[in-house]
Amino acid sequence: MNITVQIPSALRRHTAGEAKVTCSAGNLEELFTVLDQKFPDLKPHLRDESGQIRRFLNVYVNEEDIRFLGGPSYAFTDGDEILLVPSIAGGKN
């Protein structure tokens, strides 16, 4: 089984510019472990100090928010496309 993870440009400075990763992770925890090992600098942008998904990180599976698919326990299937999207806030009024 293979899944593809799209790395947005905002996080690519932590992946040496890699925009896409293919792996065989079965769920979000396994995916984060793979990404932690491959890109140690990315880890603090995915998980908080307690190891939970960052509050402002959105995860999409085949363009569907993972929260509506069962959350972190959702089991990936062959060919799934995962998109990691950090929320961006701020601006000037």
Side-chain angles (χ1 to χ4, degrees), residues 43-81:
K43 183 177 182 176
H45 300 278
L46 303 179
R47 302 185 205 212
D48 62 20
E49 297 75 26
S50 65
Q52 299 300 309
I53 186 170
R54 285 244 172 241
R55 183 174 166 201
F56 297 110
L57 178 68
N58 298 301
V59 179
Y60 294 90
V61 180
N62 303 321
E63 299 183 12
E64 190 80 29
D65 191 321
I66 199 167
R67 292 176 290 193
F68 301 117
L69 298 172
S73 63
Y74 173 77
F76 298 137
T77 59
D78 192 38
D80 277 351
E81 295 220 4

Side-chain angles (χ1 to χ4, degrees), residues 1-62:
M1 176 184 81
N2 281 320
I3 63 169
T4 302
V5 183
Q6 301 290 332
I7 309 292
S9 56
L11 294 176
R12 287 185 199 154
R13 68 177 184 246
H14 308 294
T15 64
E18 282 194 51
K20 188 185 294 188
V21 175
T22 302
C23 68
S24 60
N27 58 40
L28 196 58
E29 179 66 29
E30 289 179 18
L31 173 60
F32 281 2
T33 298
V34 167
L35 294 174
D36 291 349
Q37 292 171 351
K38 188 169 174 94
F39 309 111
D41 293 341
L42 186 60
K43 183 177 182 176
H45 300 278
L46 303 179
R47 302 185 205 212
D48 62 20
E49 297 75 26
S50 65
Q52 299 300 309
I53 186 170
R54 285 244 172 241
R55 183 174 166 201
F56 297 110
L57 178 68
N58 298 301
V59 179
Y60 294 90
V61 180
N62 303 321

